[in-house]
Amino acid sequence: MTKSTEFIKVKINEDFIKAGEEAKNLHQKEHVGGYSKFDSPNDAFIWGIGEAIVENILVENNLSHPKDYIKNKDLDVKYDPWDFQIVTQNISLEVKTQNYNYGSIAEYWEVAVAAQQIDKKGDYYIFIFVDVNFTEAIIVGFIDKEKYKKNSRFIDQGEEFRPGYKATNPMHRLSIDKLKNFNDFIKEVAKWAKILSQEIKTGYVKIF
């Protein structure tokens, strides 16, 4: 269970912003062709930042992570590095990133996964909140996909999920206090892979 003292704070640097811009530009190119997985360029921008943050952590910890791509045949471009694969254990990670602008993150806050995505491939979800000014991100935790499906609550389109807010699409929601600390995941994977000869140093700090 993730407590607020275990959230991981990451400063958003120029490389992360660049990754977001690349994702946004790719979204706009794809959109001209009639297809995009994102609702808006801003969604693509946030997604790109989240993916870059996780990739950076994997690189820092020497974890192998070839990307899996979906290819749009009409535009002939690589579009979506949507999973990370830890080859030594055949573990795939799916990053879910969203904006927040409500100050300090509280443990009763929730994460969400669209209903149409809940059965797609991947072993673990990683959830990241990015502040609206794009200065920092919070990795609020990770969870096994099957546990997420089992413990989350389904919210149908038009249903109120908190006072004054209704779902625009069907989704599965889960309180962030049900997530585990992502640093623990990295340490476990590194231990399984037997690739580290010294203590893991991620460079990230606990906050709150």
Side-chain angles (χ1 to χ4, degrees):
M1 179 181 296
T2 297
K3 299 295 185 181
S4 59
T5 53
E6 296 177 337
F7 298 153
I8 300 170
K9 179 180 180 180
V10 180
K11 292 296 270 187
I12 296 178
N13 59 33
E14 292 182 1
D15 289 337
F16 297 152
I17 293 295
K18 182 180 178 181
E21 292 290 349
E22 290 176 350
K24 182 171 68 174
N25 293 337
L26 193 53
H27 158 83
Q28 292 170 328
K29 183 177 181 180
E30 289 276 328
H31 195 65
V32 172
Y35 166 78
S36 176
K37 66 174 283 185
F38 304 106
D39 293 332
S40 70
N42 187 63
D43 285 345
F45 181 70
I46 296 167
W47 169 85
I49 290 174
E51 293 280 320
I53 288 170
V54 172
E55 180 174 19
N56 188 64
I57 293 174
L58 296 178
V59 168
E60 285 185 344
N61 289 282
N62 300 313
L63 293 173
S64 179
H65 60 286
K67 296 178 181 178
D68 190 12
Y69 289 91
I70 295 174
K71 191 171 184 180
N72 185 314
K73 295 180 180 179
D74 295 331
L75 296 179
D76 194 32
V77 295
K78 286 183 177 180
Y79 173 57
D80 182 8
W82 64 320
D83 280 348
F84 292 105
Q85 193 81 12
I86 309 298
V87 177
T88 51
Q89 295 298 319
N90 196 29
I91 298 170
S92 59
L93 315 176
E94 185 169 345
V95 183
K96 298 293 184 183
T97 310
Q98 64 188 74
N99 265 145
Y100 80 96
N101 61 353
Y102 303 105
S104 298
I105 296 174
E107 292 169 13
Y108 61 82
W109 284 19
E110 294 181 323
V111 291
V113 175
Q116 69 267 28
Q117 297 179 359
I118 200 72
D119 290 317
K120 290 186 176 180
K121 70 175 187 175
D123 299 307
Y124 293 94
Y125 289 126
I126 304 165
F127 293 98
I128 301 177
F129 290 169
V130 173
D131 79 276
V132 293
N133 296 316
F134 304 109
T135 58
E136 67 179 23
I138 309 295
I139 305 177
V140 294
F142 80 98
I143 191 171
D144 178 283
K145 271 194 172 185
E146 292 304 314
K147 289 183 179 179
Y148 187 95
K149 288 170 62 176
K150 180 180 179 180
N151 296 315
S152 60
R153 60 191 180 104
F154 175 73
I155 306 295
D156 206 351
Q157 184 175 2
E159 184 179 349
E160 191 173 71
F161 57 88
R162 70 171 180 262
Y165 293 86
K166 294 183 179 181
T168 56
N169 293 293
M171 67 176 73
H172 294 258
R173 298 183 66 86
L174 183 70
S175 172
I176 61 177
D177 69 353
K178 300 296 191 297
L179 305 176
K180 294 182 178 180
N181 182 273
F182 188 56
N183 267 341
D184 294 338
F185 176 82
I186 291 294
K187 291 176 183 178
E188 277 301 306
V189 173
K191 184 189 302 180
W192 296 334
K194 297 180 180 179
I195 60 174
L196 294 184
S197 59
Q198 59 181 2
E199 182 179 355
I200 294 176
K201 298 178 181 178
T202 63
Y204 299 106
V205 296
K206 295 179 180 180
I207 61 170
F208 306 107

